[in-house]
């Protein structure tokens, strides 16, 4: 079983500041023991299907647990484009991520200091190896050009317009086989049209309620999709496509604006059996 995911130990996770709408009125309200339990249950669910490498926590950086934001691993290479975080509250994570990946023998790529980029939270590969890049909230106007210097795959920019869905992985989830989940209200008209053009009938619109449940912030391992919570409607829709939803309750982490996908960084290629 090859290593495919990176997670970070949840000790030290907390909400100590507000840098997104989900954090409002949540400072000091994380139940640490419950968060650790939820993380461990999720880890156990995932590890039944794939190998996971665990980074150590750093209490000084409570959002380090959201490893999706560490950077963007390049397909087929032992290289990762490191993140340049927008907010000072997360900028110290970069040195920790660099040290950990370099210890494993990875080459770490730095982007220009003027480029804001928050890793696989805002950059998602689909089943056709296209890269979809979130823009407008956490990534800036330099991001697409900077990323394109290190990757040959086609890159498509998607404009995010709802501050609640500040990273692309909170409102968009490409799936094996060419389909994708998305929350239409999170994107501008041009981005919705672009997604419809490329995904066609495989584009599955989430309802606003499903968006707030973080149904798009999901991890797909072959035909199993892990998400915080799911509606019966969505279960039936994905069952029709051959997928099975497995719920992984992560309410404590949603207080910081993250869920299943945010807690994982994929080092492997999307697969479908």
């Amino acid at each position: 079983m090859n290593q495919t995911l990176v997670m970070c130990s949840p000790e030290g996770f907390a909400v100590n500041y507000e840098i997104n709408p989900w954090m409002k009125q949540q400072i000091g309200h994380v139940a640490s023991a419950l968060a650790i339990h939820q993380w461990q249950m999720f880890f156990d669910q995932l590890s039944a299907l794939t190998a996971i490498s665990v980074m150590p926590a750093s209490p000084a950086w409570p959002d380090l647990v959201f490893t999706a934001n560490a950077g963007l691993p390049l397909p087929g290479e032992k290289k990762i484009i490191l993140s340049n975080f927008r907010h000072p509250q997360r900028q110290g994570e970069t040195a920790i991520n660099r040290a950990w990946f370099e210890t494993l023998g990875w080459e770490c790529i730095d982007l220009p200091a003027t480029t804001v980029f928050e890793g696989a939270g805002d950059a998602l590969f689909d089943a056709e190896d296209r890269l979809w890049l979130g823009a407008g909230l956490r990534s800036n106007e330099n991001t697409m050009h900077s990323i394109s210097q290190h990757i040959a795959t086609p890159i498509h920019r998607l404009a995010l317009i709802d501050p609640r869905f500040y990273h692309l992985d909170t409102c968009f989830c490409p799936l094996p086989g060419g389909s994708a989940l998305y929350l239409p209200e999170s994107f501008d008209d041009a981005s919705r049209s672009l997604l419809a053009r490329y995904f066609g009938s495989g584009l599955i619109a989430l309802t606003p309620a499903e968006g707030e449940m973080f149904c798009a912030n999901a991890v797909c391992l072959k035909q199993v999709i892990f998400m915080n919570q799911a509606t019966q409607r969505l279960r039936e829709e994905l069952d029709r496509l051959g997928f099975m939803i497995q719920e992984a309750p992560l309410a404590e982490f949603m207080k910081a604006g993250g869920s299943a996908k945010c807690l994982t960084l994929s080092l492997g290629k999307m697969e479908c059996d």
Side-chain angles (χ1 to χ4, degrees), residues 199-233:
F199 288 93
S201 61
L203 190 60
I204 303 168
L206 299 174
T207 66
E210 289 167 341
E212 292 178 2
M213 291 160 57
F214 271 37
C215 291
N217 196 245
V219 176
C220 187
L221 297 178
K222 300 186 183 296
Q223 263 49 59
V224 183
I225 303 176
F226 298 86
M227 62 180 66
N228 170 68
Q229 191 178 357
T231 62
Q232 185 60 32
R233 182 205 76 87

Side-chain angles (χ1 to χ4, degrees), residues 13 20-23 26 42 63 66 68-69 90 121 138 162-173 175 181-183 186 205-220 225-231 233-234 238 245-264:
F13 167 67
N20 68 58
W22 303 93
M23 288 177 153
Q26 295 295 343
F42 181 42
D63 280 345
F66 298 121
N69 305 131
R90 298 202 65 180
R138 290 291 184 91
D162 187 336
R164 296 175 303 160
F165 302 98
Y166 53 94
H167 280 146
L168 184 60
D169 70 356
T170 65
C171 53
F172 175 61
C173 180
L175 299 172
L181 303 173
Y182 86 123
L183 180 62
S186 297
L206 299 174
T207 66
E210 289 167 341
E212 292 178 2
M213 291 160 57
F214 271 37
C215 291
N217 196 245
V219 176
C220 187
I225 303 176
F226 298 86
M227 62 180 66
N228 170 68
Q229 191 178 357
T231 62
R233 182 205 76 87
L234 186 57
L238 289 170
I245 291 176
Q246 191 165 337
E247 290 188 350
L250 294 164
E252 292 306 298
F253 297 94
M254 289 179 64
K255 293 175 181 178
S259 190
K261 171 63 173 60
C262 293
L263 290 167
T264 65

Side-chain angles (χ1 to χ4, degrees), residues 17-212:
Y17 44 76
E18 295 181 7
I19 60 172
N20 68 58
W22 303 93
M23 288 177 153
K24 291 188 181 299
Q25 300 182 343
Q26 295 295 343
I27 292 177
H29 289 174
V30 169
S32 298
L34 180 56
I36 292 170
H37 173 74
Q38 290 177 349
W39 185 95
Q40 186 63 55
M41 294 294 289
F42 181 42
F43 175 90
D44 291 345
Q45 289 173 305
L46 294 175
S47 60
L49 296 180
T50 193
I52 304 173
S53 186
V54 180
M55 295 176 56
S58 176
W61 304 101
D63 280 345
L64 189 67
V65 73
F66 298 121
T67 52
N69 305 131
L72 178 65
L74 301 185
E77 302 182 74
K78 209 170 180 180
K79 298 179 181 179
I80 182 170
I81 301 174
L82 292 174
S83 295
N84 284 343
F85 290 95
R86 176 177 293 277
H87 296 289
Q89 291 92 335
R90 298 202 65 180
Q91 289 170 359
E93 296 175 32
T94 301
I96 297 171
N97 292 324
R98 178 198 304 281
W100 191 80
F101 275 98
E102 287 181 344
T103 298
L104 295 183
W106 282 62
E107 178 183 340
C108 295
I109 300 170
D110 292 307
L111 296 179
T114 54
T115 297
V116 179
F117 175 60
E118 300 198 350
D122 253 350
L124 300 173
F125 288 100
D126 66 16
E128 301 298 323
D129 292 329
R130 297 174 295 232
L131 182 64
W132 297 89
L133 189 66
L137 297 177
R138 290 291 184 91
S139 298
N140 65 7
E141 63 276 4
N142 302 326
T143 307
M144 187 166 177
H145 173 74
S146 296
I147 296 294
S148 70
Q149 305 306 299
H150 303 283
I151 191 166
T153 192
I155 302 175
H156 300 288
R157 181 182 183 275
L158 297 172
L160 303 177
I161 60 174
D162 187 336
R164 296 175 303 160
F165 302 98
Y166 53 94
H167 280 146
L168 184 60
D169 70 356
T170 65
C171 53
F172 175 61
C173 180
L175 299 172
S179 53
L181 303 173
Y182 86 123
L183 180 62
E185 293 81 2
S186 297
F187 301 96
D188 68 4
D189 290 341
S191 298
R192 287 195 293 269
S193 296
L194 188 65
L195 287 168
R197 190 170 103 209
Y198 279 94
F199 288 93
S201 61
L203 190 60
I204 303 168
L206 299 174
T207 66
E210 289 167 341
E212 292 178 2

